[in-house]
Amino acid sequence: MAMLKPPSLSKPFLSLFFLLLRKLAGRRHHHRGRQMATAAATKPIPPPPPLPGLLDRLHGRTLVIDVEAWILRPPVRAFPYFMLVAIEAGGFLRGLLLLLLYPLLCLLGARAARAMAAVALVGLEEKEVARVGRAVLPKFFLEAAAAEGVAAARAAARVVAVSATFPRVMVDGFLREYIGVDAVVGPEVRSVGGVIAGLVDEEEDAEMAAKRLRALFGGGEVEAAAAAAAGRKDAGVGGAVGLVGAASSGRVHYLFSPYYCKETFAVSEADARGWRPLPRESYPRPLIFHDGRLAFTPTPPAALAIYTFLPFALALVAFRTVAFSFLPYRLCFPVGALTGMHYRLVAGGHVPGDRQSSGAAAGGGRLYVCNHRTLLDPIIVAAALGKPVTAVTYSLSPVSELIAPIRTARLTRDRDEDQRNMAAVLARGDHLVVCPEGTTCREEYLLRLSPLFAELGVDANPVALDTRVGMFYGTSTKPGHKGMDPFYFMMNPSPAYRVEFLPPAGGVAAAEGGRRGDSIEVANRVQRELGRALGFQLTGLTRKDKYMTLADNEGIVPAAPKNQS
């Protein structure tokens, strides 16, 4: 009986071995056309002409462009982008798993990217990964973009972007919304009930890409490529231009084959290394809004550093929270500085004193109008003034409201009621801090200011705020995570705040009964003063625009039901 045990244990492995042999034989026959495309690609691919000539050649034509070779500057490392998805969509534990497995995954060579994708994505909701690809990754991809490659993509009439490294769900939002491509082809994910179960194989990738391109460009050019992939001898020749990298010219995607691209150019690695980073002012679409917690690119050494620092970050959060919650305002800045926080107070002689002025309310309260950087803005203003304030809030989480060391007044979105509530705060002598942008903005832009503050009949004291972080962002639009915003800001080793008090905005008290047109004019004037002090660009965007961009909703918080008496 002992002699029969080994064969019984080896039977499943033998069955699996023969199954793989049959699958490989079937795939070999199925990929005859793809092997033809690869063989054609083994012929030397010429280098591209100088950039001006290339842009002229692309005018009015269809371009098929390799994302890793042209859109992103070499060398392209896949790990940071998969780490971003793992942390932002799956949490720090999934990111730690990817970091620990990374040395082993590197041993897989060309298959390492697919293995990293499996570790980072499997088990996550596909819509959440798509949100990260749309709201988080564009910032990091734009920082790694090549000006020459983006110029080529912008010059063509129609653009198909091909990625061999990143699943389409990760790069689709960046390439479509910020580069302006018409179609994205890349590894597809397999979902079960909306949850990612893995990546589909190459055959399904080709079929799904053909369907997507057929819907965009029509059947003619796509059928030619499909015929080539099937190995038909009557396959026609497409008229597109292909741009690939010299390193990948030995085995290219079938869309770069002569059956689809009339001419293909391969940029050498040496030439690509000389490409310029894409300047912010040259972004095809300005990067005003982005989401996510990480403020740096998590390369393997940086990711290791962040996980090493996390225990110390938690201690910093605890100490700083206690300091801002219980210490007198005059001690907040010195104690915070001892823990690495940086403050810069630019008074310029405009910090209002305690004396009564014509711009104050009847009860002596003053109105401070700030741009909005983090949930800590009112607390920082209170510490700079050295006196308590009341902050107007809209979507403050219960956790933040509970630990807030200052009084808060929640908005109801009822204009008349909100105006009465704010006027009542000023009338009883409290100093009121409002952030009329309605939401935070990380980049150097100012959103449109709501004019409600200009209808209170008192002078507005503008306060220009700016922040700098090196590790974590203290803002988020992810549902259920806003309560952690101030903690993430205080987890930074050396976060910085700059506070500048500007001259009171004149003309607010003369708004003639708070007429709508005059209050809008006052709000626009305050926005210009804040923008001039900070060097920020003014926009007409609102909270709704931000949430539609990042969270695909209007950012409306359901109102609490009123008590019926």
Side-chain angles (χ1 to χ4, degrees):
M1 296 297 295
M3 297 293 294
L4 297 177
K5 191 172 183 180
S8 63
L9 289 176
S10 62
K11 185 175 180 180
F13 296 99
L14 291 175
S15 301
L16 178 61
F17 175 74
F18 289 116
L19 177 62
L20 290 175
L21 285 180
R22 290 195 299 269
K23 186 173 181 62
L24 288 174
R27 289 184 61 175
R28 181 180 179 183
H29 176 76
H30 181 82
H31 282 283
R32 184 176 52 151
R34 185 169 301 176
Q35 291 168 357
M36 290 172 57
T38 303
T42 58
K43 299 179 181 179
I45 300 178
L51 186 62
L54 177 62
L55 299 183
D56 291 339
R57 191 186 295 253
L58 293 175
H59 181 71
R61 300 182 65 180
T62 297
L63 170 65
V64 183
I65 188 168
D66 188 328
V67 173
E68 289 79 23
W70 281 79
I71 300 296
L72 303 178
R73 288 179 291 116
V76 177
R77 308 298 186 193
F79 175 84
Y81 305 101
F82 287 117
M83 175 60 77
L84 283 166
V85 175
I87 292 178
E88 303 294 353
F92 281 96
L93 288 179
R94 182 180 287 263
L96 179 60
L97 176 63
L98 177 61
L99 178 63
L100 295 177
L101 293 178
Y102 176 68
L104 296 177
L105 300 180
C106 290
L107 301 177
L108 300 179
R111 309 291 294 182
R114 292 182 71 89
M116 280 188 280
V119 176
L121 304 182
V122 171
L124 300 179
E125 292 186 0
E126 185 176 358
K127 66 178 182 179
E128 178 61 19
V129 175
R131 187 196 69 84
V132 172
R134 182 181 66 252
V136 179
L137 295 183
K139 169 186 180 293
F140 299 93
F141 280 130
L142 285 169
E143 291 174 352
E148 291 78 0
V150 173
R154 302 289 292 175
R158 296 184 298 183
V159 182
V160 179
V162 180
S163 174
T165 302
F166 304 108
R168 186 180 62 86
V169 68
M170 286 177 54
V171 296
D172 191 83
F174 158 67
L175 293 171
R176 287 180 180 273
E177 298 179 15
Y178 289 91
I179 304 300
V181 307
D182 299 284
V184 180
V185 175
E188 297 285 347
V189 297
R190 188 188 308 279
S191 298
V192 178
V195 177
I196 296 177
L199 299 179
V200 303
D201 56 27
E202 296 181 359
E203 303 132 19
E204 292 185 60
D205 272 342
E207 295 173 2
M208 298 173 72
K211 292 178 180 178
R212 189 175 303 108
L213 297 178
R214 187 180 297 109
L216 180 65
F217 300 122
E221 295 178 347
V222 179
E223 291 300 336
R232 292 198 341 239
K233 297 181 178 181
D234 60 341
V237 177
V241 178
L243 298 179
V244 299
S248 61
S249 59
R251 185 180 187 277
V252 298
H253 195 280
Y254 74 88
L255 288 178
F256 294 105
S257 70
Y259 300 96
Y260 191 83
C261 295
K262 184 176 182 180
E263 49 187 352
T264 300
F265 302 103
V267 62
S268 67
E269 186 174 349
D271 290 340
R273 286 183 179 274
W275 282 353
R276 298 173 293 112
L278 183 65
R280 291 185 63 91
E281 59 271 15
S282 299
Y283 285 0
R285 171 185 171 182
L287 182 69
I288 300 176
F289 303 122
H290 58 87
D291 211 351
R293 292 299 189 187
L294 297 187
F296 64 98
T297 303
T299 59
L304 180 61
I306 188 176
Y307 281 100
T308 304
F309 176 73
L310 275 180
F312 301 97
L314 297 178
L316 279 177
V317 168
F319 185 83
R320 290 168 175 171
T321 300
V322 171
F324 275 93
S325 299
F326 300 105
L327 292 181
Y329 291 115
R330 65 179 182 274
L331 297 180
C332 288
F333 283 175
V335 172
L338 291 176
T339 66
M341 298 186 73
H342 297 278
Y343 307 96
R344 183 184 178 191
L345 175 60
V346 184
H350 301 302
V351 180
D354 292 327
R355 64 184 182 275
Q356 181 74 19
S357 69
S358 59
R366 299 179 186 277
L367 175 65
Y368 296 96
V369 180
C370 314
N371 62 303
H372 203 3
R373 302 296 278 178
T374 76
L375 290 179
L376 298 176
D377 291 344
I379 301 175
I380 297 298
V381 172
L385 291 171
K387 60 186 69 173
V389 301
T390 298
V392 173
T393 66
Y394 171 60
S395 60
L396 192 66
S397 71
V399 174
S400 299
E401 199 163 7
L402 178 64
I403 67 173
I406 59 177
R407 290 188 292 270
T408 59
R410 183 178 290 272
L411 293 177
T412 63
R413 288 288 178 173
D414 183 318
R415 188 179 189 84
D416 294 333
E417 183 177 350
D418 291 337
Q419 184 175 353
R420 288 193 301 269
N421 291 339
M422 288 191 289
V425 172
L426 293 170
R428 66 172 180 256
D430 290 353
H431 299 303
L432 185 65
V433 176
V434 299
C435 300
E437 286 181 292
T439 188
T440 57
C441 184
R442 298 175 175 178
E443 296 299 321
E444 296 182 351
Y445 295 92
L446 284 178
L447 308 186
R448 189 178 72 195
L449 303 188
S450 168
L452 183 60
F453 73 89
E455 300 172 7
L456 298 177
V458 297
D459 282 348
N461 298 279
V463 184
L465 302 174
D466 196 10
T467 58
R468 291 291 183 270
V469 296
M471 188 170 287
F472 301 106
Y473 284 115
T475 60
S476 175
T477 61
K478 187 175 181 179
H481 287 69
K482 291 187 66 64
M484 298 298 296
D485 286 357
F487 300 111
Y488 272 103
F489 181 83
M490 290 187 288
M491 282 172 63
N492 285 282
S494 300
Y497 243 107
R498 180 183 183 273
V499 185
E500 181 176 358
F501 290 90
L502 305 178
V508 177
E512 299 183 6
R515 288 193 314 180
R516 178 71 170 168
D518 292 327
S519 63
I520 292 176
E521 181 181 348
V522 170
N524 291 339
R525 183 165 67 250
V526 171
Q527 186 195 39
R528 289 193 297 270
E529 292 300 322
L530 291 173
R532 186 178 299 112
L534 295 167
F536 287 4
Q537 185 174 338
L538 309 184
T539 74
L541 302 176
T542 64
R543 174 188 176 90
K544 177 180 177 181
D545 297 310
K546 172 184 173 179
Y547 275 81
M548 288 300 296
T549 299
L550 301 181
D552 201 23
N553 63 65
E554 297 185 2
I556 297 177
V557 178
K562 297 182 179 181
N563 294 329
Q564 300 294 334
S565 58

